[in-house]
Amino acid sequence: MQTIFDTIKKVAIKIDDAIKTEDLGYSDSSNSSGEDQLKLDVKSDYIIEEAFKDVTIVKALVSEEKEGVLKLHEDGKYTVCYDPLDGSSLADVNLSVGSIFGIYEGELIAENMLASAYVVYGPRVELVIATKGKKPQHYRLQEDLFNLISDITLDERGKLNAPGGTQQNWSDYHKSFIDDLFKEGYRLRYSGGMVPDLHQILLKGGGIFSYPGTSDKPHGKLRQLFEVIPFAFIFEQAGGQGVNDKGVRLTELIPEHPHDTSPCFFGSNYEINAMKNAYGIKQ
Ligand code: P6P
C-alpha cells in the first residue's frame, strides 16, 4: 500500500504545479456526470492515470471524470477510485481545491475500503492518509518532501458549521437543524470546496459538514465512491462519524453505480447526534 501513498505524493506535486502554471479555462469536453470539464480537470486526471500505470499492485483505476474502469495490472490487488481535482472551478478565484483517493480491495463497496487519502492545494500543499485501525495522518509538503505533522483526532464537539447545498432547496427540518447550530454559536465555514472545508473541520477539532438531500438533488450531490466514502472513512478513524440522511454509516454504503451520490454529514459525535435528532432518527 505504501507504493500507492508514495504515488499520491508524486501526483500531488505535479497537480499543484499544474494549478499554478496551466490554463484554467474550460476544455471542450464534459465528465461522466455531464459537468463541463476544466482543462485542469483533464490534466489532473491524466497526471494520476499516468502515475499509477507503473504501480503493479493497482488492478484498476476509476475516475470521477470518466465512465468505466481502467484496467491496469491483472495481478494487482487494489482498485483506486479518485476525484482528480474536486472543486476545480474554485482554482480560478484562487481558493483551495483538492484530490480525493479511495483504495479498495475487491468489489467497490464501502466495507472493502482499506485506506483513503486527500490532498489540499492551498497556501500549502497538505496530505491526509487514513488506514484501518489508525488515526489519520496529516502531512505537509516542505521542499518536495511530505513531512508528518500529526495524527488527527476530532473533539467530541466542535465549533464549525459547513452547510452545503442550495438553501432554498433544503427541507424545513434541515434548515432548523442548521439554524439551531448557529443559535448555539457555531461559526460558518463554507468555501464550496469539499476538501478544504472538511480539512478545516478535521484540523480545527470538529464541527459538521453537511450536504443533504434537497428538493433539486434528493440523493445529494457528492459521489459515494470518490468523495463520500473516503471522507467518511477518515472521519470515523479520527473519532467522528459520517452518515447519510437516514443515519446510516457512509462506510456501509453499497453503490449501485460508480457515480452514485449520497446525502452526507461528516462531523464530531455531538453534531452528528444532533443531526440524527433533527432528522427523527432513533439512537
Ligand atoms: P454547492 C464542488 O463542486 C463540490 O463537488 C464539492 O467540492 C463541494 O462541497 C460541493 O460541490 C459544493 O456544492 O452546491 O454547495 O456549491
Side-chain angles (χ1 to χ4, degrees):
M1 188 85 76
Q2 190 55 46
T3 318
I4 292 177
F5 301 143
D6 293 342
T7 304
I8 290 174
K9 291 175 183 175
K10 289 178 194 154
V11 157
I13 293 169
K14 288 184 176 173
I15 292 178
D16 182 54
D17 180 59
I19 292 167
K20 291 179 167 63
T21 59
E22 308 235 349
D23 177 354
L24 297 177
Y26 278 92
S27 71
D28 52 9
S29 59
S30 59
N31 67 15
S32 47
S33 304
E35 296 161 335
D36 290 340
Q37 281 181 312
L38 285 166
K39 289 175 185 168
L40 263 184
D41 289 320
V42 177
K43 179 66 183 277
S44 303
D45 188 64
Y46 173 78
I47 288 169
I48 293 171
E49 192 177 302
E50 283 300 298
F52 275 104
K53 269 185 177 155
D54 303 329
V55 182
T56 55
I57 59 170
V58 174
K59 190 179 190 71
L61 295 176
V62 187
S63 168
E64 187 198 69
E65 292 299 331
K66 294 194 292 268
E67 270 303 336
V69 176
L70 175 66
K71 289 189 170 53
L72 288 184
H73 304 282
E74 189 58 40
D75 299 334
K77 198 172 168 192
Y78 306 111
T79 298
V80 179
C81 298
Y82 64 90
D83 181 356
L85 199 62
D86 182 79
S88 52
S89 59
L90 296 170
D92 58 11
V93 292
N94 205 27
L95 287 177
S96 298
V97 290
S99 302
I100 311 166
F101 301 85
I103 297 131
Y104 299 82
E105 183 175 2
E107 203 184 349
L108 297 181
I109 59 175
E111 70 180 31
N112 288 348
M113 173 171 279
L114 298 178
S116 70
Y118 66 84
V119 182
V120 192
Y121 308 98
R124 297 175 174 139
V125 178
E126 302 204 342
L127 163 70
V128 169
I129 294 173
T131 53
K132 273 199 193 297
K134 277 178 75 176
K135 290 289 182 205
Q137 296 191 307
H138 171 213
Y139 297 82
R140 181 170 297 144
L141 181 62
Q142 290 158 326
E143 290 166 17
D144 278 355
L145 272 181
F146 280 93
N147 296 317
L148 178 62
I149 305 298
S150 67
D151 287 354
I152 298 176
T153 302
L154 284 165
D155 298 337
E156 274 304 295
R157 176 175 185 170
K159 302 181 182 66
L160 306 182
N161 185 9
T166 307
Q167 297 199 22
Q168 69 178 26
N169 300 327
W170 287 352
S171 65
D172 293 343
Y173 51 86
H174 183 75
K175 177 142 180 48
S176 58
F177 165 60
I178 297 297
D179 290 348
D180 287 350
L181 289 173
F182 285 129
K183 284 177 195 149
E184 287 184 55
Y186 281 75
R187 290 198 285 283
L188 171 62
R189 293 290 184 274
Y190 191 78
S191 73
M194 175 184 200
V195 175
D197 289 343
L198 286 165
H199 190 57
Q200 181 171 197
I201 290 172
L202 285 164
L203 265 56
K204 297 272 187 185
I208 187 166
F209 172 102
S210 53
Y211 205 107
T214 55
S215 55
D216 60 328
K217 297 186 178 88
H219 299 292
K221 171 185 182 183
L222 302 178
R223 281 81 167 189
Q224 294 182 22
L225 269 187
F226 312 108
E227 297 163 327
V228 170
I229 298 168
F231 268 107
F233 186 86
I234 290 167
F235 267 73
E236 286 192 353
Q237 297 296 105
Q241 296 182 54
V243 298
N244 68 10
D245 53 347
K246 306 285 186 298
V248 174
R249 291 172 64 205
L250 297 165
T251 50
E252 294 175 355
L253 285 177
I254 300 178
E256 286 169 22
H257 180 279
H259 295 272
D260 279 355
T261 62
S262 171
C264 53
F265 302 80
F266 307 97
S268 310
N269 291 314
Y270 172 85
E271 289 85 351
I272 295 293
N273 293 337
M275 167 264 163
K276 291 176 182 173
N277 285 334
Y279 273 62
I281 295 164
K282 293 250 173 306
Q283 303 196 50

